[in-house]
Structure formats: C-alpha cells, structure tokens
Amino acid sequence: MASVSLNTQDLLKQAEALSAKDSAKAESLYRQILSQTGTAQDTEHSQILRDQETALVKLGELYRDQGNSKGLAEVITLSRAFMSSTAKAKTAKLIRTLLDFFSTIPDSQEIQVETLIDNIAWAKREKRIFLKHSLETRLVSLQLESNQYKPALSLIDTLLTELKRLDDKMILTEVHLLESRVYRGIGNLAKAKAALTSSRTAANSIYCPPPLQAALELQSGVLHAEDKDYTTAYSYFFEAFENLSTQGDETGALQALKYMLLCKVMLNLPEDVTSLLTHKLAIKYSQLREVESMRAIARAHQERNLAEFEKTLRDYKEELSSDATTRSHLAALYDTLLEQNLLRIIEPYSVVEVDHVAEMVGQGRQAVEAKLSQMILDKVFHGVLDQGRGCLLVFDEPQADNTYGAAIDTLEQVGKVVESLYAKTVKIA
C-alpha cells in the first residue's frame, strides 16, 4: 500500500503544477486525491490525510481564484468526510480557512450564509461544540454586514448563554464585540457601550490576540466618535492603526487611518490632515483614493466651501458612502457647513429673500427653508420666515430682562425675613 501514499504525493505535485495552466485538470487531480481511502498502515495513512488536507485547501484556492462560490461551498461539504478522521482543533482551523476564501469572491454572501447554516447543523449533530460556536460567530458577522440586526441579536443571545456556561473567554470576547457593533448599527449606543465593556472584561482575563485587540480599539473609537468625543476617538483609532500596521493588515490599517483623518476634520483641524499623512506608517497609504477622499473633504471644510464639499461627496461616493461611520459623520459635517454658510449670507441683512439665500448657497428653496426653520427653532439666530412674502426677517439678539429675576430674588429675601420673624414670635410666646 506504500504506492497509495506515493500516488497522492505525486498527484498533489502534478495538480499544483497544472493549477495555473489547466485548472480543470488540476481540479480533477485534487478530487482524485480526496477520493483515496485510508486503509493503509498508520504512517502511510497519516501521509494520505496530510495530502488530502493540502488538496482541500488547494482546491478551495482554485475555486476562490475562479470566483466559483458554489464550488467552494461543495469543497467545504466534501471536507466533512476528511474532518471525521482528524483532530477537532485541526477541523475548525481547516473549515475557517476554507470559509475565508469566500471574502474575495464577489456576491457570495448568500451562498456563504447557506453554507454556514448547513455546517452549523452538521456540527451540532456531530456534537462539535467549539466548531459550532465558531461558525455561529461568523454567521453573526455576516448578518451584521448585511444589516440583518434582528436575527443577529437572536443568535448572539443564544451564543452568549452557551458560552457563559462553558466559560470560553476568547469567543465570548468576539461575540460581545459583535453585539456592540450590532447595537451601534440599530442606534442603541447605551447597549453598544455595555457590550463593549463586557467584551473588554472578557479580553482582560485571557491573552487577547493583536487582531482582536485592534478590533476592540476600533470599536471604542467609533463609540467615542458617536458621543462627539473626537479627541478620545482619535487616540483609539491611532492605537488600532499602529497595531494593524504592525500585523501587516493593510485593509484594517487603512480603515483606522481614514477614521483618524475624519476625527481631525470633525475637530475643525483640517490642516492636520496633511501633516498626519507624513507619519512613517501612513506614507504608504497617502496616494490611495480612500485617503485622497478625506484630503479633499478636509480642503473643502477648511475653505468652508459647500459646493466643493458636495462635489467631493459625488466624486468619491464609493469611498465616502460605503462605510456607515464615515457616512454619518460627514452628513453631520455637511449640515454644520451648510449652517455656517447660511449664517454668513444672512448676517448683513435684517430682511432677505429666501430665493436669494438659496441661490447664494447653491441649494433648493425648500431645503433652505427647512434648514432656516430648524436653525430658528434651535435658536442659532433669531428671526421669522415670512412665507407669504418669501422673506426671512432677521432680528437682533434680544437683551435679557432681569426685572423678573430681581423680583423673584427680592421675594425670596422677604420670605426669609418673615420666616425669621415668625420663629422669634414663637419663642417669645
């Protein structure tokens, strides 16, 4: 049976050599390796298993490069037979490796969810609890990406109950972090902060891997930014950026850098954006479109140029609108910039036509009327919209009249005198 082991090794070498030139032939060879039965002696059987593990990964890489999500899902299903004869820890690592290949295949989320649900059911039947929790955590992550918050929270509740019973701190840290991100997604910041605190508590009792630590720093920064505490948020993003850069995670580091630049803009320090990009770790990203988009936003903000700001949002729509954090803060910044432009335009007037204001600011009349109404209600300035005449009447800031306050203070003092006199009469009596 020694020829069997040698055969799988030979087949593996042939398949690897053909993978770039003849993918169909390479696929056939990989499948041939996987079809080998393990009836050899212990040493030879171990070699077959090692070759089959390599073949599974290589076949998965082949389908990943082809963008064949269905083929990749089939490989994961095929791997079950192999996984039944290997250690459970190796099984979990292998299936995670295969699932990671979906990330580069476009429009594969739906089939990835189906694959996860199918494998979670299999892991439950086989009583592979660790693998089940790992797959369920990945499913929550996918549901979060597709904004399926309700099913994500339902699965998180189940997971947390099981994990607390098993006291698995590592996955508990990950699940609490996902819980924080889900609550932030639905706008419940109080619960998002509570979940992040739970995640940090669990992380403090174990060795927290650098990627997970960076994810915690990133989420901390996001929540502080939601509270408008951009200084603290910046420090968290900087920690995450350094951590991810050291690990070589360029995608994660770029996201953290974008958030750092966003914080500088929101702090009214757009001039710091250029100096920040001279940092030794940031230089390599300075020419990317994602970074250039933030540089353009900083320029528009520095010049208080609303038209340039809108143009930047259009020109870099994908870079600035795909991320919920960037999108929400830039919307707030746009609102502030519009407010500042309106105040500058109406400042010299006591009465001004709304059409003129709309023309000067480059916005539609209805949008300008709505914004002016909001500013009046928020007491940003004092005025009245006369819609019959289509004008805005701007008033001087009213001077505070202290007469009523002084009268109340006098009455309070008289009250104290009366109470004092009453107390003395009681004593005399």
Side-chain angles (χ1 to χ4, degrees):
M1 294 300 291
S3 59
V4 176
S5 177
L6 182 62
N7 191 26
T8 57
Q9 290 180 287
D10 288 344
L11 290 172
L12 197 57
K13 288 176 184 176
Q14 290 176 37
E16 288 177 12
L18 288 167
S19 59
K21 297 180 288 186
D22 189 349
S23 58
K25 179 64 176 173
E27 179 186 345
S28 175
L29 290 171
Y30 285 134
R31 288 184 177 275
Q32 191 176 336
I33 295 167
L34 295 173
S35 66
Q36 296 284 0
T37 55
T39 56
Q41 299 299 320
D42 287 346
T43 305
E44 294 158 1
H45 182 44
S46 298
Q47 182 60 52
I48 292 173
L49 289 177
R50 284 195 294 272
D51 291 340
Q52 287 181 329
E53 182 181 355
T54 305
L56 278 169
V57 175
K58 291 292 183 182
L59 185 57
E61 288 175 350
L62 193 68
Y63 286 136
R64 177 198 63 191
D65 296 340
Q66 293 173 351
N68 185 351
S69 56
K70 289 185 178 179
L72 183 54
E74 188 183 342
V75 170
I76 293 171
T77 305
L78 273 174
S79 67
R80 289 179 189 170
F82 166 78
M83 288 189 288
S84 298
S85 56
T86 58
K88 291 184 178 181
K90 183 179 283 190
T91 295
K93 183 180 178 182
L94 175 62
I95 200 165
R96 281 199 302 269
T97 301
L98 292 171
L99 285 166
D100 284 340
F101 293 156
F102 276 110
S103 60
T104 57
I105 302 177
D107 304 320
S108 63
Q109 195 173 65
E110 187 177 341
I111 196 163
Q112 189 177 353
V113 169
E114 291 173 4
T115 305
L116 279 169
I117 292 171
D118 182 42
N119 282 279
I120 287 167
W122 174 81
K124 193 173 181 179
R125 287 195 303 272
E126 295 289 315
K127 294 184 171 53
R128 298 198 170 204
I129 304 302
F130 176 79
L131 178 60
K132 172 180 167 290
H133 290 160
S134 179
L135 295 176
E136 285 177 335
T137 303
R138 186 179 287 263
L139 180 57
V140 170
S141 183
L142 279 176
Q143 290 170 335
L144 174 62
E145 286 176 19
S146 56
N147 300 327
Q148 297 176 32
Y149 300 125
K150 191 173 180 179
L153 282 175
S154 177
L155 185 51
I156 283 170
D157 287 341
T158 306
L159 258 173
L160 288 176
T161 303
E162 294 179 12
L163 290 169
K164 285 173 183 175
R165 190 167 60 245
L166 294 171
D167 200 32
D168 190 335
K169 299 290 188 185
M170 181 65 73
I171 299 186
L172 196 60
T173 302
E174 293 180 30
V175 174
H176 274 307
L177 178 58
L178 285 169
E179 182 186 22
S180 177
R181 292 173 62 196
V182 171
Y183 276 124
R184 187 255 171 184
I186 61 178
N188 192 332
L189 294 183
K191 286 193 174 182
K193 291 173 186 175
L196 181 61
T197 301
S198 298
S199 183
R200 284 191 171 280
T201 303
N204 287 338
S205 60
I206 56 168
Y207 165 71
C208 189
L212 184 55
Q213 185 62 46
L216 288 169
E217 303 290 353
L218 210 58
Q219 181 66 3
S220 296
V222 167
L223 293 182
H224 276 90
E226 290 288 349
D227 284 339
K228 313 299 182 192
D229 184 2
Y230 295 110
T231 303
T232 307
Y234 176 85
S235 65
Y236 277 115
F237 291 141
F238 186 75
E239 290 289 334
F241 174 64
E242 284 194 322
N243 190 334
L244 292 163
S245 297
T246 304
Q247 296 168 46
D249 183 352
E250 293 189 358
T251 303
L254 178 59
Q255 184 185 28
L257 178 60
K258 276 181 69 178
Y259 288 166
M260 288 163 63
L261 298 175
L262 179 65
C263 286
K264 288 295 184 184
V265 174
M266 299 304 292
L267 284 166
N268 290 320
L269 298 170
E271 63 279 0
D272 285 2
V273 168
T274 303
S275 60
L276 181 59
L277 292 173
T278 60
H279 188 280
K280 62 180 181 180
L281 292 176
I283 290 173
K284 64 187 291 188
Y285 303 102
S286 60
Q287 301 304 315
L288 297 178
R289 271 186 66 85
E290 286 83 354
V291 173
E292 182 55 42
S293 67
M294 294 308 301
R295 194 187 280 121
I297 285 289
R299 281 197 300 268
H301 179 56
Q302 191 170 14
E303 296 166 6
R304 298 290 188 267
N305 191 326
L306 196 63
E308 186 64 28
F309 193 94
E310 289 178 328
K311 183 177 182 298
T312 301
L313 290 176
R314 289 194 301 271
D315 292 347
Y316 296 96
K317 185 177 180 181
E318 185 178 343
E319 290 80 11
L320 298 174
S321 300
S322 58
D323 180 78
T325 299
T326 306
R327 187 171 61 247
S328 64
H329 290 291
L330 287 182
L333 184 63
Y334 175 81
D335 201 51
T336 302
L337 202 55
L338 174 59
E339 192 173 287
Q340 290 173 347
N341 274 260
L342 287 171
L343 284 173
R344 192 182 71 242
I345 291 165
I346 67 174
E347 188 179 11
Y349 301 100
S350 58
V351 180
V352 60
E353 290 184 352
V354 175
D355 285 336
H356 174 69
V357 176
E359 184 182 344
M360 290 291 289
V361 85
Q363 300 288 312
R365 173 176 173 153
Q366 190 173 0
V368 169
E369 275 190 352
K371 183 60 184 173
L372 288 171
S373 298
Q374 181 190 335
M375 289 168 69
I376 291 169
L377 290 171
D378 292 342
K379 296 184 180 179
V380 176
F381 72 94
H382 298 276
V384 172
L385 274 169
D386 187 341
Q387 291 184 316
R389 293 163 56 195
C391 293
L392 171 70
L393 282 66
V394 184
F395 305 142
D396 292 332
E397 186 173 347
Q399 297 296 318
D401 188 348
N402 292 325
T403 305
Y404 292 112
I408 290 169
D409 287 342
T410 303
L411 289 170
E412 283 180 356
Q413 295 303 321
V414 170
K416 289 177 183 177
V417 171
V418 171
E419 286 175 4
S420 175
L421 291 170
Y422 177 75
K424 287 180 180 179
T425 58
V426 169
K427 286 180 181 178
I428 293 170

